[in-house]
Amino acid sequence: EDTEANTFTLLNTSDYIFTPNSDLNGIGRFYIRFTNRTLSTDGNTLNDLQIFTIADPRTLVIKGYLNSETIAKLYDIQGRLVLNRMLNNMVTTNSIYVGNIQSGVYVVEVINDNGTKTQKLIIR
């Protein structure tokens, strides 16, 4: 994990190449994470996502680890699709500007190969 670049790299599938622009000092930027569940089958990993809105600027935030191609869909309360966006699975925080969407109650659906997460939220 590179906390400054907000990225995760699976070292068992690819190399991580990093060239600093200045001298590095201190701790806390890079982390190596291990798990004993490598060969296990996960359930719906999307359940761990945090989905919320920010009022200024009006933004929909989807925070958490996405381990495959993921799509976020936003529906109004009548069930009409108002936004369909591919998320970046290389970062842990995806922000989507929703300033052009009217205030109200919406349903967010996040979909990938591992499952679906649906959540109701308010855009102010």
Side-chain angles (χ1 to χ4, degrees):
E1 176 183 3
D2 183 342
T3 59
E4 188 172 307
N6 199 24
T7 60
F8 286 88
T9 302
L10 292 174
L11 297 176
N12 59 349
T13 60
S14 63
D15 293 331
Y16 182 70
I17 299 170
F18 172 74
T19 307
N21 295 330
S22 61
D23 291 341
L24 297 178
N25 201 1
I27 60 171
R29 175 169 179 177
F30 298 102
Y31 291 93
I32 295 179
R33 299 185 183 267
F34 297 93
T35 179
N36 60 357
R37 301 180 321 164
T38 304
L39 298 177
S40 67
T41 44
D42 290 333
N44 185 355
T45 58
L46 297 178
N47 288 334
D48 296 331
L49 290 180
Q50 297 175 17
I51 302 172
F52 56 93
T53 58
I54 298 173
D56 190 22
R58 290 175 57 181
T59 306
L60 167 64
V61 179
I62 300 170
K63 188 173 186 177
Y65 181 67
L66 305 171
N67 56 4
S68 64
E69 272 191 7
T70 305
I71 297 173
K73 296 182 178 188
L74 183 67
Y75 298 92
D76 66 12
I77 203 68
Q78 285 83 29
R80 295 177 295 214
L81 180 67
V82 295
L83 182 119
N84 187 15
R85 183 74 44 92
M86 181 69 70
L87 301 178
N88 183 351
N89 64 334
M90 299 303 289
V91 299
T92 57
T93 302
N94 281 271
S95 299
I96 303 169
Y97 178 72
V98 291
N100 55 342
I101 295 175
Q102 292 184 356
S103 297
V105 178
Y106 291 86
V107 175
V108 176
E109 182 180 35
V110 179
I111 308 162
N112 70 13
D113 294 339
N114 297 313
T116 301
K117 178 172 182 169
T118 305
Q119 180 175 318
K120 184 169 48 171
L121 57 86
I122 297 173
I123 296 178
R124 299 175 195 247

